[in-house]
Amino acid sequence: LEFHGFLHRRMSREPSRLNKKPSCWWSRRYYILVNANGKQGEAGSVSVLHEYDTQEQAQRKRYSANKKNRLRLEPLLDDSITVKEISLEQDGANDQEGNSTKDEDTSEGKYYAFEISTLDGRITWQLAATSPEERKVWIDRIIQAA
């Protein structure tokens, strides 16, 4: 079972020698959620959220996505997966030019953010949809897959 579409992912860059300020921005990416829950008990039946730059890249690299571009939704005995809505008003994110994105408005419209956290918070992806309905659908699908 699969679910796919475009979302925005919050990206960040640590301060460097040349640029002392950290920067954050939203990057539009294509995601495919492969829900393995229908195949429980089979070897390798783990749900995975794959990230690609474009829909075309997803078609080309579908079976060769590296670990950096996927989030395994596999609850282990000591692990918890959390998915929750987040408010952009609290995070103080900046775009690439350093402009505040606190009001959730961007040149592409409003973003409705949510966060997926796994491995007891060691891996966290902040994603955003372009409507509250789209955010709810993604959150529901991810929770069902986990």
Side-chain angles (χ1 to χ4, degrees), residues 38-117:
K39 308 175 189 173
Q40 289 196 338
E42 292 182 21
S45 62
V46 175
S47 298
V48 179
L49 181 60
H50 294 274
E51 174 187 273
Y52 302 95
D53 291 335
T54 64
Q55 188 172 4
E56 293 76 23
Q57 184 190 44
Q59 292 168 348
R60 279 194 327 269
K61 295 187 170 187
R62 181 178 183 112
Y63 299 104
S64 64
N66 63 36
K67 291 180 182 177
K68 181 179 175 185
N69 296 25
R70 69 180 182 202
L71 189 61
R72 292 172 58 98
L73 304 174
E74 177 182 28
L76 304 173
L77 295 175
D78 61 342
D79 176 37
S80 62
I81 294 173
T82 59
V83 182
K84 63 181 180 181
E85 293 182 15
I86 58 173
S87 169
L88 297 178
E89 308 236 353
Q90 298 170 356
D91 70 11
N94 294 325
D95 62 18
Q96 286 176 317
E97 287 76 42
N99 300 317
S100 174
T101 59
K102 284 183 176 180
D103 60 1
E104 298 187 14
D105 287 321
T106 68
S107 60
E108 297 177 14
K110 284 194 171 206
Y111 288 167
Y112 299 87
F114 62 99
E115 181 177 274
I116 306 169
S117 180

Side-chain angles (χ1 to χ4, degrees), residues 3 6-7 85 104 110-114 128-142:
F3 185 68
F6 286 98
L7 290 170
E85 293 182 15
E104 298 187 14
K110 284 194 171 206
Y111 288 167
Y112 299 87
F114 62 99
T130 54
S131 73
E133 297 81 16
E134 182 184 27
R135 173 175 59 186
K136 181 177 180 350
V137 168
W138 274 100
I139 288 173
D140 290 347
R141 296 285 178 110
I142 291 166

